[in-house]
Amino acid sequence: MLNAGIRRVVMATRDPNPRVNGGGAEFLQAQGLQVEIGLLAEEARRLNEAWFKWVETGLPFVVAKAAASLDGKTATAGGESQWLTGEQARSYGHQLRHELDAILVGVGTVFADDPQLTVRLPKHTTKNEKRKTKNGFKDPVRIVLDSRLRLPLSARLLHLDSPAPTWIACTPAAPKDKIQEIRDLGVEVLMLHSEPGGLVALKPLLAELGSRRIQSLLVEGGAETLGSFFDQRLVDKFYFFYAPKILGGKTAPGMLAGAGVKHLGNALQAKDLEVRKFGPDLLVTGYL
Ligand SMILES: NC(=O)c1ccc[n+]([C@@H]2O[C@H](COP(=O)([O-])OP(=O)(O)OC[C@H]3O[C@@H](n4cnc5c(N)ncnc54)[C@H](OP(=O)(O)O)[C@@H]3O)[C@@H](O)[C@H]2O)c1
């Protein structure tokens, strides 16, 4: 660099990885270059937000995603939910699955939708050879919260032809024979503590996922699962899609269940909101 006449280097941020942190900057300073760090630091962190969180905390960056009508309902009072949003919004949802390391749903969604949680998009070439699907995308690791292993052995998630594994997270309340039956299908069962109410403890689950190098997690629902993540303040970023439909209905479910907050002063405050359009639908993203 000195030979090329460069005297001053401006860096947005250091790499948080303790193995390299500052090494490059110190080397350049030792060569006599002036090094300034911090210009557009926040923007640079955002470009690599999952990596920063994982390296600094050992936990995955948690992204919540849900789709609702304009009035916040995820299904009609009669229980119909597919499909609220249009083709373009749903494709973007699949793109998110491709970009993030893992995807998580509650067992209620497995009962309701029997989802595959794979990336289904037109053919594409990815640089990431690991977990690459036949059409060139990367499937995320699939995780189901199922404290008592109620999911049926016929669930599609247990029989997928995908390069990524499915992990079922349960508690000691799960029957031993069901654990074995699921393992016999070649699917891993993660044994975790239970939290009050007997549900899978989320913080230990995130720590376990982090230790397995899951750097980013997409929480797709349903409402109970998303409610638990928001109640425990575990969400870093959200993607809320809104279809231009109004459903109403006292019993029609909303995006989040869980306990919620009793006082407005305890509301989670979203920041850095952005709004985008996907065909007729709106996407609101933000950070917590
Ligand atoms: N619009 C959308 O974006 C969207 C996305 C996904 C799903 N959905 C819809 O959501 C509906 C299902 O939602 P849901 O709220 O009934 O069920 P859910 O959130 O999918 O699953 C909830 C179940 O997961 C288990 N669980 C274990 N640990 C948990 C924890 N820490 N927190 C929360 N749950 C935990 C519990 O069953 P155990 O006690 O047996 O463990 C709980 O009853 C379906 O109709 C589906 O179509 C909508």
Side-chain angles (χ1 to χ4, degrees), residues 72-87:
K73 306 287 189 185
T74 55
T76 65
E80 279 178 35
S81 61
Q82 289 181 346
W83 297 103
L84 271 171
T85 49
E87 190 69 39

Side-chain angles (χ1 to χ4, degrees), residues 66-67 106-109 112-113 147-148 150 200 202 220 222-225 228:
V107 69
T109 296
D113 303 338
S147 45
R148 291 162 286 155
R150 291 190 292 135
V200 175
L202 297 182
E220 277 212 356
E224 289 291 347
T225 297
S228 290

Side-chain angles (χ1 to χ4, degrees), residues 148-149 151 153 158 168 170-171 174-191:
R148 291 162 286 155
L149 291 185
L151 91 170
L153 289 174
L158 300 175
I168 313 295
C170 72
T171 70
K176 290 204 170 41
D177 51 348
K178 188 74 178 277
I179 296 176
Q180 196 50 52
E181 284 169 334
I182 291 174
R183 287 183 176 152
D184 288 346
L185 293 172
V187 172
E188 192 170 350
V189 176
L190 308 180
M191 182 61 70

Side-chain angles (χ1 to χ4, degrees), residues 65 87-104 115-126 128 130-143 156-157 160-166 216 218 220:
K65 183 197 138 226
E87 190 69 39
Q88 291 176 44
R90 298 211 305 275
S91 284
Y92 189 63
H94 278 267
Q95 180 69 32
L96 286 176
R97 291 180 177 184
H98 162 70
E99 286 169 10
L100 275 68
D101 290 340
I103 179 171
L104 178 146
Q116 302 184 69
L117 307 181
T118 51
V119 178
R120 295 185 301 281
L121 286 169
K123 218 169 169 52
H124 168 89
T125 316
T126 175
N128 190 332
K130 218 172 130 195
R131 300 206 304 270
K132 207 171 84 168
T133 63
K134 281 184 199 129
N135 62 358
F137 282 89
K138 175 187 70 60
D139 269 351
V141 172
R142 296 164 293 272
I143 301 155
R156 289 199 291 184
L157 279 168
L160 288 174
D161 175 20
S162 161
T166 299
S216 52
L218 183 64
E220 277 212 356

